[in-house]
Amino acid sequence: MENINVPQHIGFIMDGNGRWAKKRAMPRNFGHSRGAEVFKKTINWCRELGVKCATFYAFSTENWKRPDDEIKGIMKLLRQYIKDIREFSDEDIRIIILGDISAFDEDIRAELLDITDTSKDNTGFIVGIALNYGGRAELALAAKKISERCVLGELSPDNITEQLVESCLYTSEMPPLDLVIRPSGEQRLSNFLIWQAAYAEFVFMDVLWPDFTKKDLENAIEEYAGRNRRFGGV
Ligand code: IPE
Ligand code: IPE
Ligand code: MG
């Protein structure tokens, strides 16, 4: 892994937990619980490999369609996740939450706000966690913020630029997204970072998220390093 071009910001679509559990004749939430352990390990692997920022898709705006008992299990797990995330915020890691957390219970909301606030000056590494996140909702929210400023007369529509839209996204304080990794064999974004992924590289893998290893991460980074990113140039 030495002397190669390591991505600064990787997005992980943590998919395949349900299928992993099904293969073992276990409930889907067993897969989510294993997936949460891999999430923690992946943060450390990213740091060891020289990545600066990692964003994890944990719960989408569309995932509310799932059965009640699965949602309940995920919320229970989220409370556990929060304890783990708090340990990370003591290790010079900044935590940024992407998504509309108003949908979560009061205790979860308060914890998430506290963790993002107490870690905001940490500079060693950035962990983004997408919770009740959707790329379309993020863009609609940016449009809302910008139009409110126009209505107040602070801004004219002529001043709406790509940079301004970017400054209204959850990722505004993160480095540009270089690489999206999606395990589980699906080859789609499922509403993850749709604006930010405009020029990102994609690596799709057949491994299910609970089986994702450091070797898989290294392979994805090596593949990324061998790609020729032209950004529309020659
Ligand atoms: C991803 O795993 C976790 C969440 C969406 C919360 P899935 O639960 O989507 O697993 P599969 O795709 O059904 O295997
Ligand atoms: C994307 O996975 C969302 C997360 C990993 C949190 P899904 O399992 O929800 O995506 P689809 O339904 O296969 O597109
Ligand atoms: Mg899935």
Side-chain angles (χ1 to χ4, degrees), residues 10-66:
I10 305 181
F12 292 91
I13 302 180
M14 303 190 284
D15 194 22
N17 295 346
R19 279 164 281 174
W20 184 90
K22 196 173 174 207
K23 270 174 50 182
R24 287 158 182 79
M26 294 296 281
R28 295 179 57 84
N29 282 323
F30 180 64
H32 294 317
S33 152
R34 277 304 174 87
E37 285 168 29
V38 175
F39 155 80
K40 276 194 290 178
K41 288 188 205 157
T42 305
I43 294 173
N44 288 325
W45 299 333
C46 284
R47 289 161 80 198
E48 286 160 20
L49 295 169
V51 176
K52 297 275 174 285
C53 173
T55 299
F56 295 86
Y57 204 7
F59 194 82
S60 76
T61 47
E62 288 75 32
N63 287 148
W64 297 107
K65 292 179 193 161
R66 295 188 177 205

Side-chain angles (χ1 to χ4, degrees), residues 145-217:
K145 287 184 195 162
I146 291 170
S147 52
E148 278 167 358
R149 290 178 59 194
C150 287
V151 169
L152 289 171
E154 290 172 16
L155 192 69
S156 143
D158 290 334
N159 301 121
I160 302 174
T161 59
E162 291 184 15
Q163 286 72 22
L164 181 71
V165 174
E166 272 190 350
S167 72
C168 296
L169 303 181
Y170 296 115
T171 46
S172 63
E173 293 180 44
M174 292 177 171
L177 183 69
D178 293 316
L179 170 64
V180 174
I181 298 177
R182 182 167 193 160
S184 91
E186 309 300 350
Q187 306 199 358
R188 55 177 170 260
L189 275 179
S190 301
N191 208 6
F192 183 54
L193 300 178
I194 52 177
W195 168 288
Q196 296 85 344
Y199 269 102
E201 295 294 325
F202 294 90
V203 173
F204 297 106
M205 306 184 128
D206 281 332
V207 60
L208 300 172
W209 177 253
D211 289 328
F212 187 81
T213 61
K214 187 175 184 187
K215 187 72 199 140
D216 292 318
L217 177 61

